[in-house]
Amino acid sequence: MSFSGATPVGAPGDHPLLHGLDQAQREAVTNQGQPLCILAGAGSGKTRVLTRRIAYRAATGALLPSHVLALTFTRRAATELNRRLVTVGVRDRVAAGTFHATAWAQLRGLWADRHEREPALLDQKVRVLHALRPPRGSGEAALAEVAAEIEWAKARMISPDAYEAAVVAAGRRPPMDAGVLALIYARYEEEKRRRRLVDFDDLVILCAEALETDTGFAAAQRWRFRHLFVDEFQDVNPAQHRLVEAWRGGRSDLCVVGDPDQAIYAWNGADPSYLTGFGARLEGATVVNLDRNYRSSPQILAVANAMLDTRRAPGALDLRPTLGAGAVPDVATFPTDADEAAGVARALRHHHGGGRPWAEQAVLARTRAQLVIFEEALRAAGVPCRLRGAASFLARPEVVEVVAELRRRPPGSPLAAAIADVRLAARAGDPSGGDAATGGDAEMADAEMADAEMGSDAVVQSGAAGAGGAPERRASLQELVRMMGEQLALDPSAPVGGFLTWLTTALRGDNPDSSGDAVTLSTFHAAKGLEWPVVFLTGLEQGLVPVGRATTPEARAEERRLLYVAVTRAQRELHCSWAERRRFGAHTMARSPSPWLATVQAVVDALDGSASTAAAGGKWREHLDRSRAHVRSLSNGTPAGGRAGGARAGGGRGCVEVGERADPAMLAALRSWRASAARAAGVPAFVVLHDATLAVVAEARPGDRHALLALPGMGPVKAERYGEALLAVVANSGAA
Ligand code: ATP
Ligand code: MG
């Protein structure tokens, strides 16, 4: 095993594919090591390096793109990978897809060769579970919980027979008696076999088994895919790992890329030790590190670094910025979830008002249910937005129409012929003349890439962008064409029937549309790998971040990494918020802030108060240390540097309570001033000043600019903009 710093064999010249890469990235692209592991933090260019490496090796004759298989875990991530392959000029020839799509394509080929009838793909386990009569003892556990438990077992390749023992070994608490669940699991498997059904988990295992047992099949697949690449390798679970190993077949040409700090799928069986132990496990493996972040401002990275798990492996790297200073992140408290949604909608409009595209902004939340409130609020405010969800894409009239047309064809007819017709339909929907307007495939590829750079994703159009217009129709159909193309790259002889099955099952909860200028609404999970200039992290409350069911230290650590993933999606602006009351169905509940919000707030205070210019000047390390010292001292109850005040990130346990001695009358006067300042500027109140800062001002009663500037949360920009008015409010209110 060797580490970065070694000179790559066959030093590259000034190849165009190496432009726009730093030294470590160049090494990762050109390194001759096999197997190769690229281990690096968020936004350090892992995906960029992976796609460049494929293209560079193709350009230098080290591989033929048609022999490359590039894998990732979600459809959305596969879309992103494909888009990036477009920009480096190898998209058409490289097979890039999810584990499931690839396994399905290969299995279909196998079944056809064996003249076996293809099993149908089961999109939801509950469909079969529903039909099974519940055995005694199954109680009231919801079918969805049973399905999740079966998924837990299958991701770890645990059979029904072994389930009970595995539950005990893992210290797991299943939703019902483990013996009863094992029985249901066994019946579920039996019922599937009887009805010739396969579920998603089966695809991975069946493909691995076929590769392990059918030498002809294995030889054919290994001949076709000689060069394996896997993005986000920290997410691999035992079943998927077995499949990678089966595809590899003992060969060394495997390149994996990942970041253990972004491991957020442990609940799905993912085991990041496949990534971290790669160098030690695979003979002759090379490990390369990338250590600079190209995505986010130093201020955002300060927040991200403070989120990193303190129990990380020694030597793990913090993110080092390369970008110049950006805005200091902020934390806002809203009375209710509806206020939060309305406040964010106003801030989105404010940002867009500067002539910047909607697609530069994203609203992220821990759960999908929270996003629905935003979808309503944004629609009411005329803000176009995208919310992931398959139903909406498949329900679009143009998609329904084309799918119906495809269904009329014989299921065995070639997809390659159908794609040409759908392409034509897409052009017919474009009043400006289709190709003439887009400049053909090359420009379409550019447009797709621009979308990818924006990190846009799957989607429902709503609000101002509207739905159903010619551009939307064309975009939907182009998206269908793109998905058909993806299938064909995996399986050139794919039939229409197979594609349709894939379409309606794979899209469950994962809408692929990438059209139109709109704000993205996404869960933290679904935002992985993507980036936006402006990000709103919402609902940062106890019970959501971390999610209530995360009760063990491991589960909480995963939730914290999830917040880290969310923070690191932001490029220039990060706005964090929570609501004091939130609706859950018919109930409204009082909320307290996420225990990690105090950390965010403390970093923000440190940045806002003094250090933003130091961070911009490259002194990020001292700056970060100072932020952390500040956080620590706040949690001990002693403000850093003996300063008065600090942050008030709400009233929950574990949060910092500062500004508590604020004079209520002065606080009220400050709030009222802030409300009118916000109205005058047409921005939400928190954009003017946070609650925490107002409380600190009311407590410290600064008499001059110097005293004002010394307060946490009061940076030079805010002091310049609001200082005079604030001092006047303090003076007047104090005199009263
Ligand atoms: P994640 O961990 O979130 O998946 P990543 O490590 O895969 O992130 P990329 O998405 O490849 O990182 O890169 C992050 C951003 O930085 C992208 O916008 C990419 O284009 C840009 N970038 C990467 N390397 C460089 C570079 N050397 N110069 C300029 N921009 C770069
Ligand atoms: Mg990436």
Side-chain angles (χ1 to χ4, degrees), residues 200 211 221 340 356 534:
F200 266 52
L211 289 161
Q221 299 307 333
E340 183 187 38
R356 285 167 292 193
V534 181

Side-chain angles (χ1 to χ4, degrees), residues 570-593:
Q571 294 172 309
R572 293 200 307 262
E573 289 182 31
L574 178 68
H575 304 288
C576 306
S577 61
W578 71 285
E580 289 167 323
R581 300 182 74 73
R582 181 172 294 277
R583 267 175 305 154
F584 290 93
H587 304 286
T588 300
M589 289 168 72
R591 314 288 296 155
S592 48

Side-chain angles (χ1 to χ4, degrees), residues 339-698:
D339 295 327
E340 183 187 38
V344 169
R346 281 196 299 277
L348 291 165
R349 288 198 73 84
H350 177 66
H351 183 86
H352 179 69
R356 285 167 292 193
W358 293 112
E360 281 197 355
Q361 309 182 79
V363 179
L364 309 184
R366 173 64 182 85
T367 66
R368 204 171 179 289
Q370 292 163 257
L371 296 172
V372 174
I373 303 167
F374 281 98
E375 200 188 10
E376 285 165 13
L378 267 51
R379 184 174 285 133
V383 175
C385 65
R386 311 171 160 160
L387 172 64
R388 288 149 58 68
S392 39
F393 178 74
L394 292 176
R396 289 189 189 181
E398 61 274 18
V399 177
V400 170
E401 198 181 300
V402 171
V403 167
E405 199 283 316
L406 291 176
R407 280 199 201 289
R408 284 195 285 274
R409 300 177 182 221
S413 63
L415 187 62
I419 194 172
D421 296 341
V422 181
R423 208 174 261 139
L424 270 178
R427 285 173 190 161
D430 178 9
S432 58
D435 258 6
T438 63
D441 283 351
E443 268 191 33
M444 191 176 123
D446 284 345
E448 280 190 348
M449 197 50 214
D451 252 350
E453 296 292 355
M454 289 290 71
S456 71
D457 186 37
V459 252
V460 180
Q461 292 286 335
S462 68
E472 286 76 29
R473 176 189 152 82
R474 185 166 143 260
S476 302
L477 296 183
Q478 278 176 350
E479 189 54 32
L480 265 183
V481 168
R482 198 188 56 70
M483 294 172 74
M484 292 165 107
E486 254 178 58
Q487 281 278 304
L488 285 169
L490 289 168
D491 176 8
S493 60
V496 166
F499 171 71
L500 288 175
T501 311
W502 181 252
L503 185 70
T504 46
T505 48
L507 287 196
R508 186 162 50 100
D510 189 13
N511 188 324
D513 187 357
S514 58
S515 60
D517 181 23
V519 170
T520 297
L521 303 181
S522 169
T523 60
F524 291 176
H525 278 101
K528 186 132 78 67
L530 302 184
E531 58 193 16
W532 296 270
V534 181
V535 169
F536 292 82
L537 295 190
T538 63
L540 298 178
E541 294 153 26
Q542 188 74 264
L544 289 171
V545 181
V547 78
R549 62 177 174 274
T551 49
T552 62
E554 293 73 30
R556 284 175 69 85
E558 176 145 318
E559 289 290 309
R560 190 170 168 131
R561 288 193 297 273
L562 186 54
L563 182 55
Y564 169 80
V565 167
V567 168
T568 53
R569 300 308 97 200
Q571 294 172 309
R572 293 200 307 262
E573 289 182 31
L574 178 68
H575 304 288
C576 306
S577 61
W578 71 285
E580 289 167 323
R581 300 182 74 73
R582 181 172 294 277
R583 267 175 305 154
F584 290 93
H587 304 286
T588 300
M589 289 168 72
R591 314 288 296 155
S592 48
S594 161
W596 300 316
L597 203 53
T599 307
V600 174
Q601 180 70 70
V603 176
V604 165
D605 287 342
L607 286 165
D608 220 0
S610 60
S612 56
T613 41
K619 294 186 179 165
W620 67 277
R621 165 56 70 186
E622 296 112 274
H623 165 68
L624 178 62
D625 289 346
R626 212 166 32 241
S627 301
R628 284 186 168 156
H630 187 49
V631 172
R632 272 195 297 276
S633 64
L634 286 171
S635 8
N636 295 337
T638 0
R643 288 194 309 181
R648 180 191 163 91
R653 256 183 336 130
C655 288
V656 185
E657 298 283 350
V658 200
E660 283 203 310
R661 283 164 295 157
D663 169 6
M666 184 169 301
L667 200 52
L670 285 167
R671 285 215 171 100
S672 144
W673 162 78
R674 182 178 64 172
S676 43
R679 256 195 314 278
V683 297
F686 72 83
V687 172
V688 176
L689 281 180
H690 314 136
D691 287 356
T693 315
L694 288 190
V696 168
V697 171

Side-chain angles (χ1 to χ4, degrees), residues 20-22 25 41-49 84 232 259 262 294-295 453 529-531 569 571:
L21 298 176
D22 68 23
Q25 292 173 329
S44 57
K46 294 183 298 300
T47 305
R48 176 182 267 221
V49 161
R84 293 202 187 193
E232 311 263 12
D259 173 12
Q262 295 186 69
Y294 286 92
R295 175 178 294 144
E453 296 292 355
L530 302 184
E531 58 193 16
R569 300 308 97 200
Q571 294 172 309

